[in-house]
Amino acid sequence: MAQINSCLKRTFIVFNFFFAIIGGIIIGLAVLSQILTSAEEDQSMEGRGMGLIVLYVMGAITMLLGLLGAFGAYKEQKLSLVVFLVCMVIGAFLMIRAGIPAAIARPQVEGILEEKFRDLLPLNSASFQVKHMADTLQTQMHCCGLFSYTDWNDDIPASCQCSAEDEEKYECRMLSYSYLRQGRSIYSKPCFPILMHYVLLLADITLGVIFTLAALAVLGMVLSSIMIHQLRQANRTTILLSVPSIFTPGPPKYQELHNPPPPY
């Protein structure tokens, strides 16, 4: 006999399947990131291994919790629901603890990065790794310099060059002979504002994911708590109160005083 409200049970199962799908999406993103970055062997990709491990672990835990919650609701198993509830409490606490400081630090990201990038100037006298990073940004983002093309002084690399095809798609500018030995068309936009756009977009997406998971964890806590309460109420032994015999009514008083008629 079902002990949990059927509507609540179906809602909780759907919620947990959605939770498991999110875990599968996280694992898929980790696999895609690993494929796209597998060919990169430079020093800028040294930290990708730890990031991929974190994605795999988060995806696996999310998927397993979703399946555990759905199983506990379907079988109306109290132990599975209690484990799910404990995990949701821990998950909500961790998400909120990580999300609030990140949201507070978000407006300071641009200033911190700008200070660090300005320490790399001038680019023409920077290390090989910094030059390689700048060349990669300029090639992929179609920009020149971190804050201006003057970051390279007079040694502007070929990655800044704007071809005839690029002039139709991107903003370019022609440098006069006072800066270079030959006139050259270069990208007019600096790289730092473009880079910051993607950094802040990634930060906003990360904050959205963190607080969305926190909200889902709180919702899971509420639903699982209600179902555990229903299971506890259904398992309680019903106590029937019996009326003591001392209060059993006796025969009417008029029967005691009634005298039968004498026989004839």
Side-chain angles (χ1 to χ4, degrees):
M1 181 177 178
Q3 299 176 347
I4 301 177
N5 182 273
S6 59
C7 181
L8 176 63
K9 183 176 178 179
R10 287 193 294 267
T11 302
F12 190 72
I13 291 175
V14 171
F15 166 80
N16 280 278
F17 274 120
F18 176 72
F19 212 65
I21 291 173
I22 291 178
I25 292 174
I26 295 175
I27 294 176
L29 290 176
V31 173
L32 181 61
S33 300
Q34 185 174 9
I35 293 174
L36 293 177
T37 59
S38 59
E40 299 289 341
E41 298 179 356
D42 56 6
Q43 296 182 357
S44 62
M45 300 303 296
E46 287 183 351
R48 75 181 180 94
M50 183 59 64
L52 290 175
I53 291 175
V54 172
L55 286 177
Y56 280 124
V57 171
M58 286 184 60
I61 292 176
T62 304
M63 180 177 290
L64 290 176
L65 284 178
L67 295 177
L68 176 66
F71 172 79
Y74 180 74
K75 293 292 185 178
E76 298 188 2
Q77 192 176 82
K78 185 179 177 181
L79 178 60
S80 299
L81 293 175
V82 170
V83 173
F84 179 85
L85 174 61
V86 172
C87 293
M88 288 296 101
V89 172
I90 297 174
F93 173 76
L94 293 177
M95 291 296 104
I96 293 175
R97 184 175 181 180
I100 293 178
I104 295 174
R106 193 266 185 201
Q108 306 172 5
V109 171
E110 185 172 0
I112 294 174
L113 288 180
E114 182 176 354
E115 182 179 354
K116 290 184 177 296
F117 274 95
R118 287 195 181 275
D119 291 338
L120 304 176
L121 303 180
L123 293 176
N124 60 310
S125 60
S127 63
F128 172 78
Q129 290 80 4
V130 174
K131 289 182 179 179
H132 178 68
M133 177 201 69
D135 283 332
T136 303
L137 291 176
Q138 291 170 163
T139 301
Q140 295 181 353
M141 298 182 178
H142 306 283
C143 52
C144 185
L146 295 176
F147 303 94
S148 172
Y149 68 92
T150 57
D151 295 342
W152 292 99
N153 290 328
D154 291 338
D155 191 15
I156 298 179
S159 57
C160 283
Q161 186 171 354
C162 188
S163 63
E165 296 179 355
D166 292 336
E167 290 181 355
E168 299 178 357
K169 301 178 182 178
Y170 309 102
E171 296 181 12
C172 302
R173 64 186 302 166
M174 181 66 67
L175 292 184
S176 62
Y177 291 99
S178 60
Y179 294 96
L180 297 172
R181 289 179 243 171
Q182 299 181 7
R184 184 188 297 181
S185 179
I186 63 171
Y187 300 112
S188 61
K189 290 184 176 181
C191 295
F192 183 77
I194 301 174
L195 179 63
M196 280 308 307
H197 169 74
Y198 291 107
V199 170
L200 294 178
L201 178 62
L202 180 61
D204 292 338
I205 292 174
T206 303
L207 287 175
V209 170
I210 290 175
F211 285 109
T212 299
L213 290 177
L216 291 176
V218 172
L219 179 60
M221 289 168 49
V222 174
L223 294 177
S224 58
S225 299
I226 295 175
M227 287 193 296
I228 292 172
H229 177 71
Q230 290 185 356
L231 287 175
R232 184 177 299 175
Q233 291 293 107
N235 290 333
R236 285 184 177 177
T237 305
T238 303
I239 301 175
L240 297 177
L241 297 177
S242 57
V243 180
S245 58
I246 190 172
F247 295 105
T248 304
K253 295 298 182 179
Y254 67 88
Q255 291 185 358
E256 298 178 0
L257 301 176
H258 177 69
N259 295 321
Y264 292 100

